[in-house]
């Protein structure tokens, strides 16, 4: 009681102090709730990322093994074809040249096919962009 008599606090000042305290406590409460929600969402995000990484890791290992086995199989197949052509052509190197030329032609054909596919995709994207712009012009 003595403290209140010494300080000339008016009723308006007391109301302002109470409002500031409520705002501070309200803000602290909101910050705490946001922190709890963020902790939960971050934990959930980390869990889903770990699951996706495990799936992607398994897929990468699987694809890598298939690639290695397939490439080794093709390598031995082409080597066998080259030796077989060498014996047919009675040469010690002509079979290797024929097989390497065939591999080069296959690689060029694959690059050309992929290039056409990429060009077609870019053309479709340009048409979509131009089509959207034309729709806006008509409206």
């Amino acid at each position: 009681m003595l403290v209140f008599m010494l300080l000339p606090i008016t009723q308006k000042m007391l109301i302002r102090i109470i409002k500031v305290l409520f705002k501070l406590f309200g803000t602290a409460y909101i910050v705490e709730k946001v922190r709890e929600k963020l902790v939960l969402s971050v934990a959930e995000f980390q869990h889903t990322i770990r699951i996706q990484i495990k799936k992607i890791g398994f897929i990468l290992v699987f694809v890598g093994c298939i690639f290695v086995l397939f490439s080794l199989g093709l390598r031995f197949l082409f080597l066998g074809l080259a030796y077989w052509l060498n014996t047919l052509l009675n040469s010690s190197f002509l079979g290797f040249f024929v097989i390497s030329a065939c591999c080069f032609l296959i690689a060029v054909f694959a690059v050309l096919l992929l290039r056409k596919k990429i060009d077609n995709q870019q053309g479709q994207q340009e048409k979509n962009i131009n089509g959207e712009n034309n729709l806006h012009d008509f409206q």
Side-chain angles (χ1 to χ4, degrees), residues 5-137:
M5 291 179 168
L6 293 175
L7 294 173
I9 297 178
T10 63
Q11 192 173 7
K12 288 183 179 179
M13 290 176 69
L14 186 61
I15 291 173
R16 284 186 186 168
I17 290 172
I18 290 172
K19 283 183 180 179
V20 168
L21 288 175
F22 278 133
K23 283 183 182 178
L24 288 175
F25 288 131
T27 305
Y29 178 76
I30 291 171
V31 167
E32 183 64 26
K33 287 295 181 184
V34 168
R35 186 189 67 78
E36 289 174 3
K37 297 263 184 188
L38 282 176
V39 166
L40 289 175
S41 63
V42 167
E44 183 180 331
F45 177 72
Q46 287 175 344
H47 180 68
T48 56
I49 290 296
R50 285 184 185 134
I51 291 172
Q52 289 177 352
I53 287 173
K54 287 179 183 178
K55 288 180 184 176
I56 291 173
F58 177 73
I59 290 170
L60 285 177
V61 168
F62 185 69
V63 168
C65 288
I66 288 175
F67 178 74
V68 167
L69 293 174
F70 189 67
S71 65
L72 285 175
L74 280 178
R75 188 174 302 159
F76 286 117
L77 175 72
F78 288 144
L79 190 62
L81 283 174
Y83 280 121
W84 182 68
L85 285 174
N86 280 340
T87 57
L88 283 179
L89 299 173
N90 292 329
S91 174
S92 60
F93 60 89
L94 198 55
F96 292 107
F97 285 140
V98 169
I99 294 298
S100 64
C102 289
C103 289
F104 176 75
L105 290 175
I106 291 170
V108 167
F109 183 69
V111 167
L112 288 176
L113 284 178
L114 290 174
R115 186 173 179 186
K116 285 181 184 178
K117 186 175 182 179
I118 289 171
D119 288 341
N120 288 339
Q121 287 177 351
Q122 287 176 349
Q124 288 293 331
Q125 288 176 353
E126 289 173 3
K127 286 180 185 178
N128 289 341
I129 290 171
N130 291 336
E132 290 173 4
N133 290 339
N134 290 339
L135 287 177
H136 293 297
D137 293 339

